[in-house]
Amino acid sequence: MKDHVERPGDAGTPLLSMRGISVAYGALRANDGIDLDVGAGEVQALLGENGAGKTTLMKALVGLAPIEGGSIEFDGKDISDISPLVARNAGIGMVHQHFMLIPTLTVAQNLCIGLRSEGYPFPNYRKITAKISGLSERYALKVDPSARVADLSVGEQQRVEIIKALYRGARLLVLDEPTSVLIPQEIEGLFEIIRNLSAQGTAVIFISHKLNEVMSISRNITILRRGKVAATRRTSETSAKELARLMVGYEMGDLPAAPAISESSPPVARIEGLRFVDSRKVKKLNGVDIEVRAGEIHGIAGVDGNGQVELARILAGILAASSGTIWLDGKDITRLDVARRIRSGLSYIPGDRQRTGLVMDLSVRDNMTLKLSDRPPYAVHGFLDFGKIRAMVEESIRDYNIDCADSGQEARTLSGGNQQKLVLSRELRSDPRLIVAVQPTQGLDISATNYVHSMLLERQRKGCAILLISTELDEVLSLSNRISVMYEGRLMGTFDRDSADRETIGLLMAGKQHA
Amino acid sequence: MREAGAKPARPLGAERKLKISKGLRADFLSSFIAFALALVIGAAIIAAMGKDPLKAYAALLDGAVGNRNSLAETFLRAIPLSLAGIGVAIAFRAGAFNVGAEGQLFIGAMASAWVGLSFPSLPPILLLPLMGLTAMVAGGLWAGIAGALKAWMNASEMINTIMLNYIAVFLVSFLVHGPLQDPSSPLGQTARLPRAAYLPIMLPGTRLHGGLVLAVAAALLASLFLWRSAWGFRIRVVGKNTFAAQASGMRVNGVMVSALVVSGMLAGLAGFCEAAGVQHRMIENISPGYGYTAIVVALLGQTNPIGVFAAAVLFAALQIGASTMESAVGVPSSVITVIQYLVVLLLIGRGAFDLIRGKVMALSRREKG
């Protein structure tokens, strides 16, 4: 690892200087008078909870957000009247959280989209390929120019995005949550690339809400909270603990440790030989066996897209397995429909809460009633009893501390955390035997995440079996009693929490057996 | 941590509450604006013909509600429009587009006329409900075909209901020219229904019949159904989000088919009202496109049964007043058709309007900043 080298730009005028940037979406002030300086060749971290305004600020920088006020200066030039084209020409490139690549085209084809200079209407691919190879070598960014983007791994696609920005002459590279899609080994590779870029004079703005990453890669850290700058720190002069406090506004408590489960606790759910072939004949699940005991949180770790979503949907009854058996409390529920599974004691917290978890256009009340419209006392003789429903809804809003004006408020207008609390209140109300939770804290800020975790742990203490499917390795490691790693529709191994180590799990997530 | 999150948001929440009730009102306001704008554009068209738009509209109003008879005619016309319109609205609520109200109306009218002709000796108290029920069952089954095709074969109900319209119209045409034709007439119609099969007249001296009670009842019951019953709740959930509905244990296909069937039942009832209340027999062209106008009426009424009833009365008034306008001022009644469909365009175009307004606001903000 190279140390940060002092560069002339450090002392004098910075490469980028944003002053008093304000961005509003309707009534929401996403950015409120933010200042940010980045020196040439510096790695500047932008830290903050979800919704703190990090992505908005960067979108403002590349001309994708409506700037209300403030000024931007880059390399001594005023570029306050920013647009995507102005940003590109100035030398600012951004790698978005969701990649902006066309999967059916090759790397070289993707790179020259929108660049008439590379030959128009027929791009000169030889020249492009040569240029890519040059960049590849210079920054140790391995990329095959003739590969189809669809055939590349997520990590490789990210490298293509970085090269795309460099190709367009970026001297400042914005990486928006670049590690959220990577496995641990890929993250180390990305950090190596960032260090290379920095050493050769390219400034990097690194957006993250993960403290350890920010601590290990950045030189300066700007912490955003609720659209404002909470603090700016030198990485060498701060600690993860201080950063967490600045980010959230209070000291975080440690997660309560999950109590150990005894070998004798009875299995609640048993999944045997589950296979699933999708409509395009792709094998998504290749014989999955899992046992979840009473009072156990069984974590499924894995990189997104390795069959976790299919597994959850099959358990919930939304998707039919090609073969295999699902037992719940000794009962075969493989052939039961969703409603009967719910009655058998299954709860499902889907990963896409805005689509499967909630009806965004309906009220808080209606969303809490979703599973009760055939159940007394909430529905009697086919009619809803609004007195009973109102009492239930008010109790849930109170118990789960859901922040809404009243129960008639549309789910759409709630914050992400409150939306998830709404889902939890509905799914936990029925005292389930088995909870299938998929990415239960995705997109939530730290306090909402803690809340969701504490609710799951409370259920676990009460003897509920929980299958926790998450791509956040930290989440799986800190909550689960046992951890299984999923790769290409198979379980690569199952560990007790005490015997699980990050490196082994990381290798299994990448599909490599013990090295 | 809870206090920190909750406190600043309370006053915000109060604002939100206001906004939501405003949102509901905004729906009806947009209907009103669309209608008013259509009238303005209609006035421009009339003016372009060299006629006086004010005079034309005065004649229109007079023809629609000017006297007891025209008022009765307006409400008479509103009966099939509102019944079929409420049906279309219920299907919309479930996320299904029922373009087949016309065919369902034809099938319902035919079925009820057949019952009326088959049991001429029954007293009205038995015969009329029997005819109405038959019409609803027939219309419901007809819509159910499209529903079943959607549920089991994932075939678009929009296409299938349109196709079923043709089948229904030609089937009825075959019947009234063939097996069920009035032997004493060369026209495509059945024999006259027995007296017992006539819907009673509500306003003596006019044609306004008891179907109006059915239409009002349908509007009230449909509101009750949609917002109070568990089934109506499921319909609204499925219409908004099938994924969430499925995950919470609802039978999405069953709910959608049921909404289409209810939709067809109401259209069938509209057919019964036309056969038993207006024509007193089944005729080949029993509907001048009520089933299609019903779609517009459902949209204009914001798929709210009460709103749909109001929109039906409005459209009926336009149609009834149009002929008076034509004879009094010389403006062709097709101008009214233009206005009717301008309403649709303007309602659909509301999204574009919001878009433009957003852009303009963003621009003016930038200039200020």
Side-chain angles (χ1 to χ4, degrees):
Chain A
M1 175 178 164
K2 288 173 199 130
D3 281 317
H4 297 292
V5 188
E6 286 293 327
R7 260 171 294 278
D10 285 347
T13 49
L15 177 67
L16 170 76
S17 162
M18 297 175 90
R19 285 281 165 274
I21 298 296
S22 292
V23 177
Y25 292 111
L28 176 81
R29 288 208 149 264
N31 282 175
D32 193 358
I34 291 183
D35 296 344
L36 181 72
D37 290 314
V38 184
E42 253 182 35
V43 179
Q44 166 81 36
L46 209 50
L47 183 70
E49 295 191 285
N50 284 294
K54 298 167 294 192
T55 301
T56 303
L57 182 66
M58 289 303 106
K59 282 192 170 164
L61 175 60
V62 295
L64 290 172
I67 300 183
E68 272 197 335
S71 67
I72 305 173
E73 209 173 284
F74 187 76
D75 202 13
K77 283 196 292 283
D78 178 48
I79 52 164
S80 302
D81 201 17
I82 196 80
S83 74
L85 198 65
V86 171
R88 196 185 87 192
N89 291 341
I92 302 172
M94 179 161 177
V95 176
H96 293 267
Q97 205 171 352
H98 302 284
F99 300 149
M100 309 285 181
L101 297 170
I102 298 175
T104 51
L105 299 184
T106 66
V107 172
Q109 283 168 335
N110 264 290
L111 283 190
C112 62
I113 292 171
L115 292 182
R116 285 198 175 199
S117 55
E118 307 309 307
Y120 179 83
F122 301 107
N124 181 349
Y125 287 114
R126 231 185 2 194
K127 187 176 127 200
I128 295 165
T129 305
K131 222 166 145 185
I132 293 174
S133 306
L135 287 169
S136 273
E137 240 160 75
R138 187 167 157 202
Y139 297 103
L141 274 160
K142 265 179 289 160
V143 157
D144 173 8
S146 60
R148 243 167 43 115
V149 166
D151 300 331
L152 299 180
S153 74
V154 177
E156 288 171 317
Q157 292 187 24
Q158 192 172 52
R159 292 206 284 275
V160 175
E161 280 281 20
I162 293 173
I163 288 212
K164 192 165 97 181
L166 296 172
Y167 196 101
R168 278 143 221 254
R171 283 181 298 150
L172 170 68
L173 190 62
V174 179
L175 302 174
D176 189 1
E177 303 264 356
T179 57
S180 61
V181 289
L182 302 179
I183 59 171
Q185 285 82 350
E186 285 177 322
I187 292 177
E188 203 31 63
L190 172 70
F191 283 4
E192 207 48 57
I193 292 168
I194 294 177
R195 287 183 196 114
N196 274 335
L197 288 168
S198 164
Q200 300 189 43
T202 305
V204 174
I205 298 181
F206 180 86
I207 304 181
S208 181
H209 59 255
K210 291 176 190 160
L211 302 170
N212 53 349
E213 293 176 356
V214 167
M215 286 298 291
S216 73
I217 192 70
S218 68
R219 176 185 176 80
N220 289 312
I221 304 170
T222 294
I223 301 115
L224 297 187
R225 191 165 74 229
R226 296 188 183 183
K228 292 190 173 144
V229 175
T232 300
R233 291 279 184 277
R234 286 223 151 210
T235 312
S236 51
E237 293 161 8
T238 186
S239 66
K241 197 152 178 155
E242 186 197 21
L243 291 177
R245 189 174 49 74
L246 289 167
M247 193 158 104
V248 192
Y250 57 87
E251 297 271 357
M252 274 167 70
D254 281 324
L255 267 179
I261 47 155
S262 67
E263 282 296 314
S264 60
S265 24
V268 170
R270 229 167 61 231
I271 298 155
E272 290 175 352
L274 210 58
R275 282 167 203 283
F276 176 67
V277 182
D278 75 4
S279 58
R280 291 180 306 163
K281 302 262 183 286
V282 179
K283 287 182 190 160
K284 293 286 189 175
L285 294 180
N286 292 309
V288 171
D289 302 278
I290 307 172
E291 186 189 76
V292 193
R293 301 211 188 107
E296 177 189 4
I297 296 184
H298 193 121
I300 304 279
V303 178
D304 202 16
N306 277 294
Q308 300 101 313
V309 174
E310 287 77 10
L311 173 64
R313 286 162 58 86
I314 288 171
L315 292 178
I318 295 167
L319 212 59
S322 308
S323 67
T325 320
I326 306 162
W327 303 87
L328 181 59
D329 274 333
K331 198 169 84 178
D332 180 356
I333 62 162
T334 318
R335 309 239 160 267
L336 297 191
D337 64 15
V338 180
R340 287 201 188 90
R341 287 182 197 210
I342 291 170
R343 251 173 264 143
S344 308
L346 183 114
S347 266
Y348 174 42
I349 300 170
D352 50 349
R353 63 176 159 273
Q354 308 209 334
R355 205 171 74 139
T356 313
L358 294 170
V359 184
M360 299 298 273
D361 294 331
L362 291 183
S363 64
V364 170
R365 185 192 68 188
D366 284 350
N367 273 294
M368 284 185 181
T369 319
L370 278 190
K371 287 164 77 182
L372 304 173
S373 72
D374 58 350
R375 204 152 309 181
Y378 307 106
V380 184
H381 306 306
F383 279 87
L384 297 175
D385 183 334
F386 284 103
K388 292 269 183 351
I389 288 176
R390 194 171 308 118
M392 175 272 292
V393 168
E394 272 162 19
E395 187 191 306
S396 294
I397 290 178
R398 221 176 22 247
D399 288 356
Y400 289 81
N401 199 33
I402 297 170
D403 189 17
C404 58
D406 64 41
S407 60
Q409 188 175 334
E410 271 180 45
R412 180 181 300 287
T413 60
L414 297 179
S415 71
N418 282 302
Q419 287 175 357
Q420 190 69 330
K421 284 181 187 175
L422 172 51
V423 173
L424 278 178
S425 76
R426 185 183 71 219
E427 296 302 323
L428 301 185
R429 159 156 291 276
S430 52
D431 279 324
R433 297 283 300 139
L434 171 68
I435 300 170
V436 178
V438 185
Q439 308 277 34
T441 59
Q442 195 176 43
L444 303 188
D445 61 27
I446 288 187
S447 49
T449 299
N450 281 347
Y451 186 78
V452 171
H453 286 168
S454 68
M455 291 314 286
L456 290 178
L457 288 169
E458 187 191 314
R459 290 290 152 166
Q460 181 243 8
R461 273 193 299 275
K462 285 182 179 166
C464 184
I466 300 173
L467 190 71
L468 172 69
I469 300 176
S470 175
T471 54
E472 293 278 338
L473 190 50
D474 287 332
E475 178 168 58
V476 173
L477 284 173
S478 66
L479 287 182
S480 311
N481 304 101
R482 283 192 293 173
I483 297 136
S484 296
V485 182
M486 202 160 171
Y487 177 75
E488 292 194 340
R490 241 191 306 268
L491 291 191
M492 302 294 282
T494 300
F495 307 88
D496 282 331
R497 197 243 284 269
D498 301 330
S499 64
D501 83 290
R502 196 173 284 264
E503 190 152 340
T504 317
I505 290 182
L507 282 172
L508 292 177
M509 281 166 71
K512 296 185 185 83
Q513 289 294 355
H514 303 271
Chain B
M1 91 189 197
R2 292 185 189 175
E3 288 84 343
K7 261 182 195 159
R10 280 297 163 199
L12 254 178
E15 264 167 50
R16 280 192 206 129
K17 186 181 171 184
L18 256 172
K19 242 186 223 161
I20 282 155
S21 55
K22 262 187 203 159
L24 248 171
R25 233 176 299 155
D27 270 357
F28 285 102
L29 186 69
S30 73
S31 281
F32 178 78
I33 292 173
F35 187 72
L37 273 177
L39 282 182
V40 171
I41 299 172
I45 295 172
I46 294 169
M49 290 175 183
K51 311 282 185 196
D52 182 351
L54 281 181
K55 258 191 206 159
Y57 283 158
L60 182 79
L61 195 64
D62 185 51
V65 295
N67 58 49
R68 180 184 159 94
N69 193 57
S70 55
L71 203 61
E73 284 295 317
T74 292
F75 277 100
L76 181 73
R77 178 64 63 99
I79 294 168
L81 288 182
S82 58
L83 282 172
I86 292 164
V88 172
I90 289 176
F92 267 133
R93 287 276 170 183
F97 196 173
N98 179 12
V99 197
E102 184 78 354
Q104 293 141 21
L105 185 151
F106 264 83
I107 292 292
M110 186 71 243
S112 66
W114 172 73
V115 169
L117 292 167
S118 306
F119 306 100
S121 50
L122 282 177
I125 191 110
L126 287 179
L127 186 57
L128 282 172
L130 186 64
M131 288 168 67
L133 279 178
T134 315
M136 289 173 80
V137 170
L141 284 176
W142 201 252
I145 298 174
L149 287 172
K150 183 181 175 74
W152 289 317
M153 308 184 76
N154 202 19
S156 160
E157 81 285 0
M158 210 199 304
I159 306 291
N160 282 321
T161 47
I162 294 173
M163 295 302 168
L164 283 164
N165 282 345
Y166 290 104
I167 301 176
V169 169
F170 286 118
L171 180 64
V172 165
S173 176
F174 160 73
L175 290 174
V176 295
H177 278 289
L180 292 171
Q181 191 175 23
D182 180 4
S184 64
S185 159
L187 297 174
Q189 59 185 32
T190 64
R192 188 169 277 274
L193 289 172
R195 270 275 159 197
Y198 286 23
L199 272 166
I201 295 296
M202 281 182 66
L203 205 57
T206 70
R207 298 199 294 163
L208 184 60
H209 58 75
L212 184 61
V213 179
L214 291 179
V216 173
L220 296 175
L221 286 175
S223 295
L224 197 69
F225 171 69
L226 279 176
W227 281 284
R228 296 277 140 177
S229 78
W231 191 8
F233 175 71
R234 275 174 231 142
I235 284 180
R236 289 188 293 120
V237 171
V238 167
K240 294 279 189 200
N241 182 340
T242 53
F243 302 103
Q246 190 188 21
S248 48
M250 296 180 187
R251 291 205 183 86
V252 171
N253 279 337
V255 171
M256 204 162 326
V257 172
S258 79
L260 271 170
V261 168
V262 170
S263 178
M265 285 166 76
L266 284 163
L269 195 62
F272 158 70
C273 289
E274 288 307 289
V278 182
Q279 305 296 342
H280 300 137
R281 53 162 45 112
M282 183 63 198
I283 63 170
E284 193 177 11
N285 34 22
I286 190 144
S287 157
Y290 293 139
Y292 297 112
T293 312
I295 298 167
V296 186
V297 165
L299 286 175
L300 185 62
Q302 301 290 346
T303 64
N304 174 318
I306 310 282
V308 174
F309 182 79
V313 173
L314 199 65
F315 262 48
L318 278 182
Q319 292 184 354
I320 297 300
S323 55
T324 309
M325 183 180 78
E326 185 168 278
S327 56
V329 196
V331 174
S333 60
S334 51
V335 168
I336 295 305
T337 314
V338 172
I339 290 175
Q340 283 184 9
Y341 288 97
L342 275 173
V343 172
V344 185
L345 283 179
L346 290 165
L347 274 176
I348 296 169
R350 188 192 158 191
F353 177 71
D354 287 346
L355 203 74
I356 294 165
R357 199 175 49 178
K359 280 213 173 128
V360 170
M361 277 166 78
L363 268 179
S364 66
R365 247 202 321 257
R366 289 213 61 165
E367 262 148 41
K368 263 186 265 163

